[in-house]
Amino acid sequence: MLWIHSDSFHRLSLLLLFSFIHLCFQLESILLEMQDPKIGVKGTEQKLNISTIPHVIAGNDIIAWISNKMKTSTEEAQAFGTMLVAYGYIYPLQNHKKLVMCNDSSLYRFQTPYFWPTQKWVPDDSDYGIFTLLLHAVCLCFIQAHYNHLHEWLNHKWDFIVMQATEQYKAGKERKKPDRVVFDCQERAYWMVNRPPVSLSNSNMFYQQAIMRSKVKSSVSLGALVKYITTYKNHDPFLASCLPSNPWQTDHDAYWTLNMRRVEVPTKMRVERWSFSLFELLSDLRGRDDFKIFLKKEFSGENLAFWEAAEELKWGTASSMSTKAETIFKTFLAPGAPRWINIDGRTMGLTVKGLEHPHRYVLEAAQTHVFMLMKKDTFFRYLKSPTYKDIQKKALNPEQHNFSPANLEQNALNRSPGIHPIILWQQEEEEKAKVAAASAPVDVKAMMSKIDRKK
Amino acid sequence: MACQGLQKGETLESLKRESETLKKKLEEERNKLNDVELHQVAEKVEVLSALSIKTRRVLKGHGNKVLCMDWCKDKRRMVSSSQDGKVIVWDAFTLNKEHGVPLPCTWVLACAYAPLSGLDNKCSVIPLSLDKNENLAAKKKSVAMHTNYVSGCSFTNSDMQLLTSSGDGTCALWDVESGQLLQSFHGHTADVLSLDLAPSETGNTFVSGGCDMKANVWDMRSGQNIQSFESHESDINCVKYYPSGDAFASASDDATCRFYDLRADREVAVYQKDSIIFGASTCDFSLSGRLLFAGYNDYTINVWDVLKGTRATILFGHENRVSRVRVSPDGTALGSASWDSTLRVSWSFSTGSNYIFRFIKLLFWVNSRLVLEFTVAF
């Protein structure tokens, strides 16, 4: 496990165990209340093939109940609910591998107290043996791996297990079908929490896919790694000097001031780095600005604008996705859109269809296409363009600092605090807002009504 | 029930035999394209000039073991978390402590600028502000929830999504604003101790390492395990991508660091020495990828030449295990956190001759180990 090997950890784990036990008793009283027919969560019946499962509850009802009872927000109630599922007090009927509480109409049932964590501190292996023996008769292959292993391990107890299993099976047969279905669900759910299944055929599929995946010759891939190192060698402060000096070495922060986000004139090293790859050029926002100047001259700024919008969608908050998707469609993809991007018909078709039900990766195909276009064509034209050559000429090449020991001592006393990153971030947001306002698609209707009002 | 029924003619035995055959076939396929070793390719590369890296800044302020640290994008601020239950934001350049956030959990295992996670199985995000008097602990927002401790966390490209790794054997992607689980990643068979996001233009993959001795590469969109490497002989404590995104390194309790090429799909180097017997807990690359800094449980940081496979230099100074090393975002310095409750910042002195005066001054009042290093450098 972790590199924690101390007494304090053992004490901590004991403390956690006791607090867990205490917590479990508190939880049990809450769970009993949840199941109360008068004040608890309202349940219904659910049909499963020909039998009906009673006392089924919906995720959103549970969360609302918890939120109301414990006077918490919906988020906290959902988190609490997820814990109840994860520890096995409530189990999901659908999607039982994902042990979370969903705030929708997903169905759950309360686990029988027999299977509560407090009743059985450690899920007993001989119980598991009994369980697997019973299920073996039903041929569930993913249990088989465990079954064979347990058979070897519990050999001495095996007769006992077989006897217990036969008894349970006989008792089970005497129960009514719906009860049996319910009990099976409960038991399976218990083992799902305490012995998550490892599928052998899944891992075989993984190996098959791994074999078929395209690989590259070592000479090629290692050559590329070496090439990367050679390209960046002079830019690595551990291998070559920083100009004018490494701030840590001389206590003078000129290197940082000269390389800030919004300098008028960048340094020669920085401009050189933009030529290494499109990824470098776009990652350095100052470089991206320069690239935009070039694109404006070529009247082809929509590709980069689309790529940026797609990034915002991919990495944005879940709640903002549908609005962002709509704006992107109106600005870049709709027929006659103000910044229509020129991608092949098939990709366009797929993307537009996907936008009917937007998710964060809906623009992936279109974004990759646009990026490849920029990478293989626009980027190289940029490097040969007057815009780039111009900035290369203008770029600063600061002199190496030459501080005497007295200077260095002075520097150490006067270390500049720099501009706080939060202020920089605020400035950045203001700039972004200005740019967005300037390039927003013209609202014709608004303009027309403005004109009308003037009349 | 979502179990796969056995296909006609299959038994558990036949599946197991198939598994062994497939594993062998995968090794064969990998070896077919293995036409050259890394050290052979590296022969054409020039030798590193003598490295002189010094630790000259010590950040004191934590009351107990420092478990984790991370740099801010402004290249000079860093955040650190400690067993004393505090998270401190420092300006490492001026040595000022800017924020101190007390937390309810004492084992804060991971912090990134700024999500934090720990042994209390939650991961919280604390928004920082300019107001020094603000009670930051009150603004803490719980985002991720696992059923076991959270060992590592990282923001994705924006700060609106969080990726976490946990002792429950899974990794998960969360939406920060709503706390919603976006994707979970299953495949490790033991605690996952570390994760790192790929620095590529697509940015859709990440690598994780765990106690099952495996390093797995995942697709964030589908939750699929794309590649898996199983060559370490003990827990993998840390995984870190090579700057180009086509390779990664891992640090393990088996006292080695290993280098994996993703396109060739195999391990291409092992960084080890007979004299190194303690586990490596952390690693990071320099800006060009030529150097690999690795922190060990014997209180040292070994600096490896990634191409040649040799040790370039060794850094002393910490008085207890090194829990975390991180190169600053512009590559100018190396930050390290240790169980000796300090953080140290180190950088290269190999360049510029104006510093000879400074070296001589220092010769008189440092301990014997450092004096040896100075004489070697000249």
Side-chain angles (χ1 to χ4, degrees):
Chain A
M1 233 186 70
L2 274 188
W3 28 255
I4 304 170
H5 296 297
S6 66
D7 278 337
S8 57
F9 180 65
H10 289 127
R11 261 178 269 137
L12 177 70
S13 51
L14 264 168
L15 186 68
L16 280 173
L17 182 67
F18 284 128
S19 50
F20 175 64
I21 297 168
H22 174 72
L23 182 70
C24 284
F25 283 120
Q26 279 184 313
L27 275 176
E28 284 178 21
S29 63
I30 294 173
L31 277 160
L32 283 170
E33 223 182 301
M34 278 172 92
Q35 293 179 70
D36 186 294
K38 282 187 232 124
I39 54 169
V41 188
K42 295 282 167 276
T44 53
E45 284 186 334
Q46 180 70 19
K47 277 208 180 312
L48 179 73
N49 300 330
I50 43 168
S51 14
T52 338
I53 300 183
H55 305 305
V56 163
I57 42 183
N60 48 20
D61 285 337
I62 301 175
I63 289 171
W65 190 94
I66 295 171
S67 175
N68 184 35
K69 160 88 187 160
M70 302 178 99
K71 311 262 183 294
T72 61
S73 62
T74 317
E75 290 165 5
E76 280 191 66
Q78 189 171 359
F80 183 73
T82 300
M83 284 295 105
L84 289 177
V85 177
Y87 282 106
Y89 288 100
I90 293 180
Y91 62 92
L93 285 179
Q94 308 135 325
N95 200 9
H96 36 252
K97 278 199 182 162
K98 209 169 175 187
L99 297 176
V100 292
M101 175 76 68
C102 300
N103 193 7
D104 53 25
S105 55
S106 305
L107 301 171
Y108 298 85
R109 280 197 92 242
F110 290 109
Q111 180 60 286
T112 179
Y114 179 70
F115 284 125
W116 282 358
T118 36
Q119 304 286 40
K120 287 172 180 257
W121 300 114
V122 177
D124 196 40
D125 282 314
S126 47
D127 289 320
Y128 195 51
I130 296 167
F131 175 62
T132 55
L133 193 65
L134 283 171
L135 284 180
H136 188 60
V138 196
C139 270
L140 289 163
C141 72
F142 69 92
I143 297 290
Q144 285 215 8
H146 290 286
Y147 174 77
N148 290 334
H149 164 76
L150 280 170
H151 187 229
E152 268 173 54
W153 194 33
L154 293 171
N155 213 332
H156 56 289
K157 268 192 175 174
W158 205 252
D159 294 329
F160 166 71
I161 291 172
V162 171
M163 189 185 76
Q164 284 250 299
T166 331
E167 286 302 318
Q168 268 193 259
Y169 182 65
K170 277 194 206 148
K173 269 196 129 162
E174 283 159 29
R175 276 197 216 111
K176 284 185 276 192
K177 183 102 197 277
D179 287 343
R180 254 191 291 147
V181 170
V182 166
F183 182 72
D184 281 345
C185 278
Q186 289 167 339
E187 207 179 10
R188 250 197 300 250
Y190 175 75
W191 289 113
M192 186 58 81
V193 171
N194 291 296
R195 290 274 191 280
V198 173
S199 168
L200 199 59
S201 44
N202 261 353
S203 79
N204 281 355
M205 204 156 51
F206 173 79
Y207 285 124
Q208 275 165 344
Q209 283 173 342
I211 289 168
M212 288 197 296
R213 192 186 322 118
S214 62
K215 296 177 209 14
V216 167
K217 267 202 260 187
S218 290
S219 51
V220 173
S221 59
L222 293 175
L225 295 178
V226 171
K227 182 156 184 254
Y228 189 92
I229 288 177
T230 323
T231 313
Y232 284 82
K233 192 174 59 165
N234 292 332
H235 294 256
D236 189 340
F238 279 97
L239 303 176
S241 46
C242 290
L243 294 172
S245 67
N246 187 335
W248 300 100
Q249 238 177 323
T250 56
D251 289 320
H252 193 287
D253 66 351
Y255 181 69
W256 287 332
T257 347
L258 291 171
N259 284 305
M260 284 183 74
R261 158 72 185 94
R262 291 194 175 274
V263 282
E264 180 75 38
V265 187
T267 61
K268 275 209 162 30
M269 291 295 275
R270 193 174 184 179
V271 174
E272 186 189 90
R273 207 164 152 178
W274 297 346
S275 66
F276 292 166
S277 69
L278 178 61
F279 180 58
E280 276 292 345
L281 178 65
L282 294 181
S283 306
D284 183 352
L285 295 174
R286 178 66 185 80
R288 209 192 282 195
D289 286 346
D290 207 55
F291 191 46
K292 282 184 187 164
I293 296 173
F294 165 71
L295 291 172
K296 208 167 174 190
K297 292 204 180 125
E298 298 237 312
F299 300 102
S300 57
E302 67 278 353
N303 280 344
L304 184 60
F306 174 73
W307 183 85
E308 285 184 318
E311 284 284 286
E312 289 254 313
L313 181 76
K314 206 161 49 161
W315 305 114
T317 62
S319 54
S320 66
M321 270 197 314
S322 39
T323 16
K324 280 189 185 159
E326 216 187 297
T327 321
I328 292 176
F329 177 72
K330 281 203 203 123
T331 320
F332 300 102
L333 300 167
R339 305 193 80 177
W340 191 76
I341 54 162
N342 196 354
I343 53 175
D344 67 288
R346 189 170 170 274
T347 315
M348 179 66 94
L350 279 167
T351 312
V352 170
K353 192 151 197 294
L355 280 169
E356 285 166 23
H357 304 282
H359 56 92
R360 62 184 64 242
Y361 303 112
V362 69
L363 297 172
E364 195 75 4
Q367 192 184 359
T368 316
H369 182 103
V370 161
F371 190 84
M372 281 299 144
L373 227 111
M374 289 196 289
K375 186 173 171 179
K376 305 226 151 113
D377 177 51
T378 331
F379 178 59
F380 291 107
R381 281 193 289 115
Y382 164 71
L383 293 178
K384 295 195 203 115
S385 70
T387 318
Y388 185 66
K389 301 232 187 286
D390 198 38
I391 198 84
Q392 269 180 314
K393 258 190 257 153
K394 275 204 218 146
L396 299 170
N397 203 9
E399 284 277 311
Q400 172 114 57
H401 277 152
N402 206 339
F403 292 121
S404 66
N407 285 143
L408 288 172
E409 280 190 37
Q410 233 358 72
N411 290 346
L413 294 167
N414 296 333
R415 287 188 205 136
S416 153
I419 305 180
H420 202 282
I422 293 178
I423 296 179
L424 286 172
W425 179 81
Q426 284 169 341
Q427 288 175 343
E428 197 57 38
E429 291 294 296
E430 280 168 18
E431 282 297 323
K432 268 203 249 178
K434 271 193 223 158
V435 170
S439 66
V442 177
D443 188 351
V444 179
K445 252 187 165 172
M447 287 241 25
M448 299 294 269
S449 57
K450 239 192 199 171
I451 297 167
D452 282 354
R453 266 183 270 126
K454 270 195 185 162
K455 282 190 192 160
Chain B
M1 191 79 166
C3 75
Q4 288 110 326
L6 289 167
Q7 305 290 66
K8 215 176 173 188
E10 276 183 11
T11 61
L12 195 64
E13 284 309 310
S14 70
L15 274 178
K16 272 209 195 146
R17 262 181 278 125
E18 195 185 340
S19 184
E20 293 302 309
T21 337
L22 285 172
K23 262 198 228 176
K24 279 203 202 97
K25 187 136 194 270
L26 179 59
E27 276 312 302
E28 277 171 28
E29 289 294 315
R30 280 175 170 169
N31 287 330
K32 268 191 208 163
L33 297 167
N34 187 359
D35 55 345
V36 71
E37 292 298 324
L38 181 61
H39 62 85
Q40 290 170 293
V41 181
E43 269 161 31
K44 300 181 204 137
V45 184
E46 63 190 32
V47 179
L48 278 175
S49 47
L51 272 183
S52 175
I53 302 176
K54 303 295 173 241
T55 306
R56 293 289 298 283
R57 213 147 286 191
V58 182
L59 299 163
K60 296 196 181 154
H62 277 295
N64 209 323
K65 307 183 172 115
V66 185
L67 301 172
C68 186
M69 57 89 37
D70 194 21
W71 290 94
C72 173
K73 277 200 205 137
D74 77 342
K75 309 150 195 173
R76 47 187 286 172
R77 278 172 178 78
M78 52 162 84
V79 64
S80 61
S81 63
S82 156
Q83 202 190 334
D84 65 0
K86 280 244 267 317
V87 168
I88 300 181
V89 179
W90 317 75
D91 175 359
F93 189 62
T94 55
L95 294 176
N96 282 340
K97 287 199 209 47
E98 296 199 336
H99 300 277
V101 187
L103 294 174
C105 169
T106 54
W107 279 86
V108 185
L109 292 176
C111 57
Y113 216 95
L116 333 130
S117 55
L119 266 182
D120 68 350
N121 85 348
K122 283 207 288 271
C123 189
S124 320
V125 176
I126 299 181
L128 292 172
S129 78
L130 289 168
D131 183 356
K132 297 253 174 208
N133 299 323
E134 195 162 17
N135 181 5
L136 289 175
K139 287 170 81 187
K140 181 165 72 91
K141 183 193 163 119
S142 188
V143 173
M145 286 274 258
H146 280 276
T147 56
N148 208 322
Y149 66 92
V150 181
S151 55
C153 58
S154 173
F155 275 135
T156 59
N157 282 9
S158 67
D159 53 6
M160 289 174 268
Q161 282 168 26
L162 191 61
L163 196 56
T164 56
S165 61
S166 166
D168 65 8
T170 65
C171 299
L173 182 67
W174 309 85
D175 178 66
V176 173
E177 191 195 45
S178 61
Q180 198 192 356
L181 172 70
L182 297 172
Q183 184 68 258
S184 65
F185 306 91
H186 297 260
H188 278 288
T189 50
D191 307 20
V192 185
L193 295 180
S194 165
L195 63 85
D196 189 34
L197 280 158
S200 74
E201 52 219 24
T202 43
N204 285 332
T205 58
F206 72 95
V207 62
S208 66
C211 295
D212 55 357
M213 307 186 272
K214 280 207 243 167
N216 290 337
V217 181
W218 307 86
D219 181 337
M220 284 206 281
R221 295 166 295 178
S222 58
Q224 283 256 334
N225 177 5
I226 319 175
Q227 278 172 287
S228 186
F229 301 91
E230 205 172 353
S231 59
H232 270 293
E233 291 155 21
S234 185
D235 300 354
I236 297 180
N237 293 315
C238 182
V239 286
K240 202 73 180 52
Y241 266 99
Y242 184 75
S244 73
D246 289 327
F248 71 94
S250 57
S252 161
D253 275 345
D254 65 5
T256 67
C257 290
R258 290 173 202 241
F259 190 43
Y260 300 89
D261 183 329
L262 290 169
R263 288 164 67 200
D265 196 25
R266 65 183 186 95
E267 172 195 284
V268 293
V270 183
Y271 306 111
Q272 62 188 346
K273 249 178 134 63
D274 289 337
S275 55
I276 301 176
I277 52 170
F278 283 85
S281 57
T282 172
C283 62
D284 197 5
F285 285 99
S286 70
L287 190 139
S288 63
R290 181 70 192 265
L291 302 173
L292 178 69
F293 299 96
Y296 289 75
N297 294 340
D298 64 357
Y299 317 170
T300 63
I301 297 173
N302 287 294
V303 186
W304 299 95
D305 179 335
V306 170
L307 296 182
K308 307 264 182 192
T310 54
R311 179 172 65 188
T313 186
I314 180 168
L315 300 177
F316 298 105
H318 277 296
E319 290 156 13
N320 207 320
R321 293 194 196 193
V322 180
S323 53
R324 182 83 134 167
V325 293
R326 274 287 174 271
V327 173
S328 69
D330 61 354
T332 49
L334 174 76
S336 55
S338 161
W339 283 21
D340 67 2
S341 78
T342 66
L343 291 130
R344 281 164 209 255
V345 186
S346 319
W347 53 86
S348 171
F349 273 68
S350 322
T351 51
S353 56
N354 353 331
Y355 310 113
I356 296 177
F357 301 110
R358 215 163 183 202
F359 288 173
I360 294 173
K361 234 164 95 178
L362 284 166
L363 268 167
F364 294 106
W365 21 276
V366 299
N367 63 42
S368 53
R369 265 205 215 123
L370 280 173
V371 169
L372 260 166
E373 279 189 340
F374 281 119
T375 52
V376 164
F378 285 115

